[in-house]
C-alpha cells in the first residue's frame, strides 16, 4: 500500500471565548492516499470548515499530529506553514477568490509567483493550464469579464499551478448554476481520473455519486468513513 499523503492523528481544535472553551473537533484521525476523491460531509456546525482550515494549513490544531507529505505540520510557525501550504496544496473556493486586478494568466500564476518561479516558467505553465480548463482564449481577460463558471475554471487552473499533491475544494459549485456546476464537477472527475487527489468539503449529498470515499462528521467527531459510489463500481 502506498504511503498516505495526509495523516491526521487525534486532531482536536478548541476556541476560547471568554471563560468558555468551545470544542470544535474532538479526536479526528484518518489517512488520505494518492488518487482518492474524498468528500467530507456533515450538517452545519459539525466542524467541516474547521477541518478544512486545518487540512489547508490555514490554521493549526490545538493538539494532535498532522502529517502532510510526510512532514508534521501541526506545530510549524507561520512562515514554514505557508511554505508547506504553497508547496503541497491547491485550493478551490466557492467564491473563487480571484484577484480582480489581475488577468486570467496572472491569477493562475499567483502560487508560482510566491514559490519563486521564473517569469517564463509562469507564463508557460499558466497558458498550458488555461488551455486545459478551456480558457486558452481568455488569457488577457480579468475576472469581471468572465462568467461564474469561467472564474471557477481559472481557480481550478490556479490550484494546479504548483503541481500540488492534494487539491482542496470548498463547496466549489455552490455559487454556480446547474449547467456550470455540472461542467465543473466534470473537470474534477477528469482530474481524479488523471490521478489527482481531491478532498471536497460539501453538504451536497449528490457528491456521494462522484467520490470514492465519504468522511462524515457529526458534532466534531468522525461519525462514519465509508466508500463513495464510485468506489463500489
Amino acid at each position: 500500500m502506498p504511503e498516505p499523503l495526509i495523516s491526521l492523528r487525534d486532531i482536536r481544535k478548541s476556541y476560547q471565548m471568554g471563560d468558555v472553551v468551545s470544542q470544535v473537533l474532538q479526536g479526528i484521525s484518518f489517512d488520505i492516499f494518492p488518487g482518492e476523491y474524498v468528500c467530507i460531509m456533515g450538517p452545519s456546525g459539525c466542524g467541516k470548515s474547521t477541518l478544512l482550515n486545518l487540512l489547508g494549513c490555514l490554521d493549526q490544531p490545538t493538539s494532535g499530529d498532522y502529517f502532510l507529505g510526510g512532514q508534521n505540520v501541526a506545530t510549524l510557525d507561520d512562515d514554514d506553514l505557508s511554505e508547506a501550504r504553497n508547496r503541497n496544496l491547491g485550493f478551490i473556493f466557492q467564491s473563487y477568490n480571484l484577484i480582480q486586478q489581475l488577468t486570467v494568466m496572472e491569477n493562475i500564476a499567483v502560487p508560482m509567483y510566491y514559490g519563486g518561479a521564473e517569469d517564463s516558467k509562469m507564463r508557460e505553465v499558466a497558458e498550458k493550464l488555461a488551455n486545459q480548463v478551456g480558457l486558452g482564449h481568455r488569457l488577457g481577460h480579468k475576472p469581471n469579464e468572465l462568467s461564474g463558471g469561467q472564474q471557477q475554471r481559472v481557480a481550478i487552473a490556479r490550484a494546479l499551478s504548483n503541481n500540488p499533491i492534494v487539491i482542496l475544494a470548498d463547496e466549489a459549485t455552490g455559487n454556480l448554476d446547474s449547467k456550470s456546476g455540472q461542467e465543473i464537477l466534470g473537470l474534477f472527475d477528469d482530474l481524479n481520473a488523471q490521478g489527482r487527489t481531491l478532498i471536497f468539503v460539501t453538504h451536497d449529498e449528490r457528491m456521494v455519486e462522484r467520490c470514492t470515499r465519504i468522511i462524515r462528521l457529526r458534532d466534531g467527531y468522525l461519525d462514519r468513513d465509508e466508500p463513495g459510489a464510485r468506489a463500489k463500481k
Side-chain angles (χ1 to χ4, degrees), residues 6-180:
I6 283 176
S7 291
L8 300 187
R9 293 292 177 266
D10 197 26
I11 291 291
R12 298 175 185 272
K13 183 65 179 180
S14 61
Y15 295 96
Q16 182 88 34
M17 295 177 286
D19 295 330
V20 178
V21 176
S22 175
Q23 302 286 347
V24 182
L25 295 177
Q26 308 198 56
I28 302 292
S29 298
F30 59 77
D31 295 327
I32 304 290
F33 292 91
E36 288 197 286
Y37 189 165
V38 181
C39 283
I40 297 176
M41 309 183 77
S44 296
C46 70
K48 296 193 304 294
S49 296
T50 299
L51 180 58
L52 177 68
N53 287 338
L54 296 179
L55 289 171
C57 296
L58 298 170
D59 197 2
Q60 292 174 301
T62 304
S63 65
D65 294 311
Y66 173 19
F67 293 91
L68 174 62
Q71 179 185 23
N72 192 348
V73 299
T75 58
L76 295 181
D77 63 28
D78 287 346
D79 289 342
D80 288 340
L81 197 64
S82 178
E83 181 181 343
R85 181 171 60 243
N86 197 56
R87 182 175 66 249
N88 293 298
L89 302 171
F91 294 87
I92 303 165
F93 299 97
Q94 179 176 352
S95 56
Y96 323 133
N97 286 16
L98 302 179
I99 300 173
Q100 297 300 311
Q101 295 81 7
L102 300 184
T103 65
V104 166
M105 176 176 280
E106 291 165 340
N107 266 289
I108 294 172
V110 164
M112 292 184 285
Y113 172 81
Y114 285 112
E118 296 181 356
D119 287 350
S120 59
K121 178 68 173 178
M122 288 192 288
R123 287 194 296 270
E124 176 187 349
V125 173
E127 184 171 354
K128 177 182 177 182
L129 290 172
N131 283 319
Q132 184 178 338
V133 299
L135 290 176
H137 61 300
R138 307 299 293 271
L139 287 171
H141 290 70
K142 294 185 177 179
N144 64 2
E145 300 174 295
L146 305 175
S147 68
Q150 289 172 329
Q151 290 185 64
Q152 196 61 298
R153 288 171 182 267
V154 177
I156 292 171
R158 179 185 59 193
L160 294 169
S161 63
N162 268 351
N163 195 26
I165 62 173
V166 175
I167 296 170
L168 296 169
D170 182 18
E171 301 285 6
T173 59
N175 283 344
L176 302 177
D177 61 70
S178 178
K179 180 175 183 296
S180 296

Side-chain angles (χ1 to χ4, degrees), residues 40-44 46 48 202-203 205 215-218:
I40 297 176
M41 309 183 77
S44 296
C46 70
K48 296 193 304 294
T202 183
H203 67 276
E205 287 291 336
I215 294 173
R216 295 186 183 274
L217 303 184
R218 182 173 296 278

